[in-house]
Amino acid sequence: VQLQASGGGLVQPGGSLKLSCAASGRPVSAYTIGWFRQSPGKEREFVGAIRQGGGSIAYADSVKGRFTIARDRAKNLVYLQMTSLQPEDTAVYYCAATISVGLRDPKNYNYWGQGTLVTVSS
């Protein structure tokens, strides 16, 4: 599967942004799709993921209640809707795919899209 993340940009604190992860080559529902982010000098951090098949969703505590993941099977897309954005959310955001059970560890993901930069600043 090939993945492509898009939708990043500059947004003011308190604002919203919607990222998309487009999958090609296989149905997006055949994989657990995770969102990760990485800011300079920090390790890649789990943001959230939607499991293959049934689509149960897990979020990092830092984004719970602010970020929402959704899957569109018809368009073969996974979205990351981000609201109440804060400067600490500034990072390059990546989507990735795995068939592993563990969804919070980036090492479990085999396929990665290129990142999309989200900058939260006034």
Side-chain angles (χ1 to χ4, degrees):
V1 64
Q2 291 83 43
L3 302 173
Q4 184 171 357
S6 62
L10 174 65
V11 62
Q12 292 187 340
S16 299
L17 208 57
K18 187 176 184 178
L19 306 183
S20 298
C21 178
S24 59
R26 290 292 307 277
V28 69
S29 57
Y31 298 88
T32 289
I33 302 296
W35 285 97
F36 294 81
R37 64 187 182 186
Q38 189 167 22
S39 49
K42 294 187 177 181
E43 292 187 353
R44 194 161 295 189
E45 175 189 20
F46 172 77
V47 174
I50 181 166
R51 285 202 183 276
Q52 65 197 85
S56 60
I57 299 172
Y59 297 98
D61 287 344
S62 58
V63 307
K64 201 173 293 184
R66 300 189 299 125
F67 290 12
T68 303
I69 293 174
R71 185 173 66 196
D72 187 328
R73 293 183 189 234
K75 295 182 179 180
N76 222 29
L77 290 168
V78 173
Y79 299 105
L80 178 66
Q81 176 70 56
M82 304 184 292
T83 63
S84 301
L85 284 161
Q86 300 302 318
E88 52 266 33
D89 295 314
T90 294
V92 177
Y93 283 71
Y94 300 89
C95 61
T98 183
I99 58 173
S100 171
V101 173
L103 49 72
R104 293 178 183 265
D105 189 341
K107 295 184 180 66
N108 289 334
Y109 287 77
N110 307 102
Y111 308 96
W112 289 83
Q114 90 294 350
T116 185
L117 176 62
V118 173
T119 304
V120 185
S121 175
S122 54

